[in-house]
Structures are given as C-alpha cells and as structure tokens.
Amino acid sequence: MDHQRILVVMMLMAMVLAMADKEKGGDESKRLFMLKDSKQVVKTEAGEVKVISGPKLDRDMPNMHIGFISMEPNSLFIPQYIDANLIFFVRRGEVKMGWIYKDEYVEKKLKMGDVNFIPAGSAFYMVNTGIGQRLQIICSIDASQTIGSSSYHPFYIAGGINPSSVLFGFDMGTLTTALNATAEEIGKVMTSRTDGAIVFIDGKEAEPPAKFMKRKLKEMSGRRDGDVDVEDGEEIDDGGVWTWRKMLSSLLKTRKGKAKGPVRAPDSYNLYDSAPDFKNKYGWSLALDENEYEPLKHSDFGVYLVNLTGGTMLAPHVNPRATEFGVVLGGEGRVQVVFPNGTMAMNEEVSEGDVFWVPRYFPFCHIASRSGPMEFFGFTTAARRNWPQFLAGARSLLKTMMGPELAAGFGVNQTRLRRMVEAQKEELFLPTWPVKEEFMSA
Ligand SMILES: *[C@@H]1O[C@H](CO)[C@@H](O)[C@H](O)[C@H]1NC(C)=O
Ligand SMILES: *[C@@H]1O[C@H](CO)[C@@H](O)[C@H](O)[C@H]1NC(C)=O
Ligand SMILES: *[C@@H]1O[C@H](CO)[C@@H](O)[C@H](O)[C@H]1NC(C)=O
Ligand SMILES: *[C@@H]1O[C@H](CO)[C@@H](O)[C@H](O)[C@H]1NC(C)=O
C-alpha cells in the first residue's frame, strides 16, 4: 500500500468518515439506532401521551422509554404514580407539577427548559398553566424498577370509569369501611370520571387539582361539612395498608397549613438558563449530571442539550460509560454511528421529533445541515460525569495518546501521524470542511 492509501485508511478510522453525506443505502440496518415506533398511550380531547420504547438488545440495556406529553391549555393530567423513574423536560409552555417528595407534598411551577425528576412510585399530577398555550413535555421513563414485565404501569390515584382509580380495585365492603361512606356515595365517585387521564379543568371544573382531590376525598368520606381535616386523615392510615389514603392526605397537606410551607424539595433545573459546559462559534453543549442536579443521583440518568450551528459537526466521540438517547428538538442534520469493527452502523438524516440512541462504547457524531442550527436533547444512562472521549479535534484521544506507539499502531511515522491528528485546531464543535470533494476522492 502506498502512503496515500494508508493516509486515507487512517483518516477513515480516526475521523469516522464524517463527511460522507451521499450515503443512501436505504437498507433497514442503516436505521439501526433510530427509534421510530411510537405508541399512543393516552389520548383525550385535552391531550395525549406518546411513548417510544428503547431497544431491548440485551439484558444489560436499560429498560428505557421516552414519553412525549402534550396538553391543551387548562388541562390536568390526573394524579397517578408510575413504577418507573421519570425525568421531565419542559419543551414548551408552562406547567404546575405537584408530587410527593419523600413524605411531603410539593408543588412547583415549571417553565420551558426546566428539568424535574420524579422517582418511581411517587404520586404526581400536572396542570397546564400556560395561558392559551399548549404544553409539551419530553420525559424519560426508566422502567428498570418496574414490576414483572418489561413495560411500566401507571397507577391512577384519582379516576373513575376511565381511567380507573386504583382505589376502586378494592371491593365495596372494604371501601365502605375504609372510607367510612355508603356504597351509594362511593358509587357516585367511582363512575363520575369517564374522560380519560388528561382532562380539562376549565368551566365547571375550574378548580386546582389539590382542591379537586380534596373534594373527591370529601365526597368519598361522605362529609358535607366544611373542609376535610387532613391531619385527621393521617391517623387513619397507620399500618401502611391504605397507602393511597396517605397519598391523598399528603397531596392535600400543604394546602391546609400554609405554615408548613412548600417542602424543601430540590429545585428543578433549567437547561436554557445555565451556562454551557462548552461553547465555541460552532456550537455549545450542556450536560446535566448529579453534581448540578442532585435528584439525578437517584435516577442513574443524565440529561444533555446540544446546539450545533448550521453545517458544523460535533466531533466523533465515544461514551465510555453511558448509552445515549437523543431527541431532535429543532433543525435537521445527520447522526452517524460506527460498529466496533470499524464499519458504518448508521448514517441517518434526522429532523425535529426524531429519536435516536447510541450504545455505550460506539463511536458517533452529529452533523447539522447547512440550512440552520440543529438542536438536540437527550438522556444518558449515567448520572455521573460521562467523560466522552473525542476521536478528532484539539482535545482528541489521538492527540492525547500521540507517541511512537500510536504511530506504530497506524503503521506510519510520528511526523506523518502528527500532521493528521493536529490539523484540526478546533475542539468538540468543528467547522464545515470546505473542500469536501477532494476528501471524498482521495
Ligand atoms: C364515620 O362518619 C360518621 C359521620 O358520617 C362519624 O360520626 C364517624 O365518627 C365516622 N367514623 C370514623 C371511624 O371516622
Ligand atoms: C442555537 O443556536 C442558534 C445560533 O447558532 C440560535 O439562533 C438558537 O437560538 C440557539 N438555540 C437555543 C435553544 O439556544
Ligand atoms: C461489522 O459488525 C457488524 C455488526 O456486528 C456486522 O453486521 C458487519 O457485517 C461487520 N462488518 C465487517 C466488515 O466485519
Ligand atoms: C515520515 O514518513 C514520510 C513518508 O511516509 C517521510 O517522507 C518522512 O521523511 C518520514 N519522517 C521521518 C522523520 O522519518
């Protein structure tokens, strides 16, 4: 082999042939790391939830789903808990989220860019509080703690016929005793909610969810006098059997005594208000791990956000510790993934709404189309710092390892290798290569 060819082979290996945008192929294997099939799990007049399930290639893969929640103005996602850890990212709009943190009830207003973690089994609800604005939320559903099968399960706390509240799974005898109410009273509540998991709360039902819950509880306990005495609720449910009741009580707790005030739950974290970890004129990126947002410690997931200027590239790199899931938020571009044996595994065009994933250890890169910036966001399966390893650019692994051993590994002398490895002066976000054709025909 002459040196010209060796050089080309080297460049292919080291730079993952990032410029090859003529790759048509069309065969399915090229889309190996795209997650295409979404399932609609909730659909009502007031909103919907679509879920894309992650790959199930082997047992060690996280049982990961990505949910897309869309809620109309003045709608409520009724109180529920899920047997999976949830990380919410507010894509657009405003939301009031109430949930149980440890044993307390927390309520927070979240805005665009906010990230909020809700642990598995913790009851929560959401209200779209944006005036005249649709709410869009993307969430990771980490179902590694689910019961039994691989999928996660929502357990509705409030509900009626559709969805059915877990409460009403008990028989009437149990319910009348537990709630101290007549079968008739309970029956009325059991059959009133028929319009699904996301409901409008305007018009007749213009009441905040805590109040809504309070009314339900009041109805259930058959009291007609003033306020429900929530503190009383607590003493009923020792023994831990009626944990739903504890949840209801907890849901109402802070409503009652303002003195207790909002619980000191960790603040949500806003991705757009934070300074990027890295920025140059070709793009910026931000990774959120447990050091910045403590609740992630309990989730084993990290969150990241990248904005690539049109035509530029996020240099080929590897995640040594984490599998990565990505959602394109805006713009379009390309994602390339390489197999361990050094062949192209995927070279796929992506645009807004597309979901891709990249297995741990697999080299990959992103390229924004020249038409404008590409913004993407996602989750990594590591709450700790991920330390991506770059294969090209001023901070590359090759540059760090430069020496006779590396040169010998490529079968060239150091001078030659150095010329190739050090030619790229930028790091992480790399400018468009001006003379593409020359590269392609080399
Ligand atoms: C059940 O409700 C009645 C009033 O409707 C009340 O007098 C009674 O004390 C309640 N019992 C319990 C155990 O709460
Ligand atoms: C991404 O970068 C472009 C400029 O390159 C900018 O116009 C756009 O607002 C950025 N997006 C975000 C979400 O910051
Ligand atoms: C590389 O590995 C992939 C996936 O294991 C396989 O499909 C492909 O045929 C391999 N290519 C070569 C050249 O070995
Ligand atoms: C390195 O190799 C190139 C060509 O392969 C050659 O021209 C050059 O003289 C070599 N340099 C050294 C220091 O051996």
Side-chain angles (χ1 to χ4, degrees), residues 40-346:
Q40 194 176 59
V41 295
V42 172
K43 171 75 187 154
T44 73
E45 300 228 311
E48 68 164 1
V49 180
K50 283 187 180 159
V51 172
I52 292 185
S53 291
K56 285 195 201 73
L57 294 186
D58 68 72
R59 274 180 301 131
D60 295 333
M61 274 304 298
N63 190 354
M64 171 76 172
H65 309 268
I66 294 182
F68 294 82
I69 302 167
S70 152
M71 288 169 62
E72 297 299 321
N74 283 317
S75 60
L76 161 73
F77 205 145
I78 69 175
Q80 61 181 299
Y81 60 94
I82 294 182
D83 57 348
N85 282 327
L86 305 167
I87 300 172
F88 291 97
F89 168 70
V90 182
R91 167 85 181 100
R92 281 199 188 98
E94 265 177 36
V95 59
K96 187 171 72 181
M97 225 178 252
W99 75 98
I100 304 298
Y101 175 71
K102 296 187 177 157
D103 208 15
E104 307 282 354
Y105 168 62
V106 189
E107 196 172 75
K108 283 214 160 90
K109 268 206 160 173
L110 306 179
K111 60 174 191 200
M112 183 167 145
D114 275 342
V115 171
N116 197 37
F117 172 68
I118 296 198
S122 177
F124 71 96
Y125 66 80
M126 294 188 273
V127 184
N128 179 355
T129 48
I131 294 160
Q133 199 179 13
R134 183 176 290 155
L135 168 70
Q136 284 178 286
I137 287 181
I138 302 174
C139 71
S140 70
I141 306 167
D142 162 25
S144 50
Q145 305 193 25
T146 59
I147 44 172
S149 69
S150 59
S151 198
Y152 67 95
H153 311 81
F155 297 76
Y156 291 100
I157 293 174
I161 290 175
N162 169 31
S164 179
S165 164
V166 286
L167 184 52
F168 302 135
F170 296 101
D171 69 25
M172 197 48 96
T174 302
L175 286 177
T176 49
T177 309
L179 298 169
N180 188 22
T182 66
E184 192 200 350
E185 284 167 334
I186 294 171
K188 224 176 270 169
V189 177
M190 274 173 87
T191 52
S192 62
R193 178 56 77 200
T194 56
D195 41 7
I198 303 177
V199 297
F200 285 113
I201 49 168
D202 57 357
K204 267 190 215 134
E205 282 198 285
E207 51 184 350
K211 205 164 156 214
F212 168 78
M213 293 300 295
K214 197 185 241 178
R215 180 166 58 83
K216 288 257 142 139
L217 187 60
K218 197 160 96 185
E219 285 167 3
M220 285 171 180
S221 47
R223 297 190 209 188
R224 306 241 136 62
D225 51 314
D227 256 1
V228 173
D229 193 342
V230 177
E231 268 26 272
D232 273 358
E234 274 190 322
E235 65 197 42
I236 300 169
D237 58 35
D238 39 329
V241 181
W242 300 107
T243 46
W244 55 266
R245 176 131 201 168
K246 203 166 181 183
M247 278 172 184
L248 289 183
S249 306
S250 305
L251 267 174
L252 310 174
K253 205 179 271 175
T254 48
R255 289 282 144 162
K256 182 81 185 168
K258 271 252 162 65
K260 204 142 198 226
V263 180
R264 317 131 314 272
D267 278 330
S268 55
Y269 190 97
N270 193 283
L271 291 183
Y272 294 125
D273 291 348
S274 314
D277 297 327
F278 182 85
K279 182 178 177 149
N280 66 16
K281 61 182 165 183
Y282 309 111
W284 57 261
S285 68
L286 176 70
L288 184 59
D289 60 38
E290 63 184 23
N291 296 311
E292 288 98 7
Y293 181 51
E294 194 268 342
L296 293 180
K297 201 175 285 180
H298 311 290
S299 79
D300 266 337
F301 276 73
V303 174
Y304 69 89
L305 180 66
V306 175
N307 189 350
L308 266 181
T309 308
T312 65
M313 178 199 301
L314 175 50
H317 62 289
V318 175
N319 287 328
R321 298 196 185 175
T323 291
E324 174 171 324
F325 294 84
V327 179
V328 180
L329 297 180
E332 45 199 44
R334 190 168 275 286
V335 178
Q336 298 188 342
V337 186
V338 166
F339 279 128
N341 62 15
T343 61
M344 178 79 81
M346 184 177 89

Side-chain angles (χ1 to χ4, degrees), residues 325-387:
F325 294 84
V327 179
V328 180
L329 297 180
E332 45 199 44
R334 190 168 275 286
V335 178
Q336 298 188 342
V337 186
V338 166
F339 279 128
N341 62 15
T343 61
M344 178 79 81
M346 184 177 89
N347 180 10
E348 182 74 6
E349 269 174 31
V350 292
S351 56
E352 183 170 341
D354 281 342
V355 183
F356 57 88
W357 71 286
V358 182
R360 186 177 175 182
Y361 311 121
F362 279 46
F364 65 111
C365 74
H366 311 86
I367 306 153
S369 89
R370 286 163 194 261
S371 61
M374 174 163 84
E375 195 191 347
F376 58 99
F377 151 90
F379 305 97
T380 55
T381 59
R384 289 201 212 111
R385 194 147 288 156
N386 170 36
W387 303 117

Side-chain angles (χ1 to χ4, degrees), residues 401-423:
M401 293 185 76
M402 179 57 75
E405 296 83 4
L406 188 68
F410 278 110
V412 295
N413 67 30
Q414 272 193 77
T415 316
R416 189 162 268 270
L417 184 61
R418 210 177 278 278
R419 207 187 306 154
M420 183 193 81
V421 167
E422 293 177 1

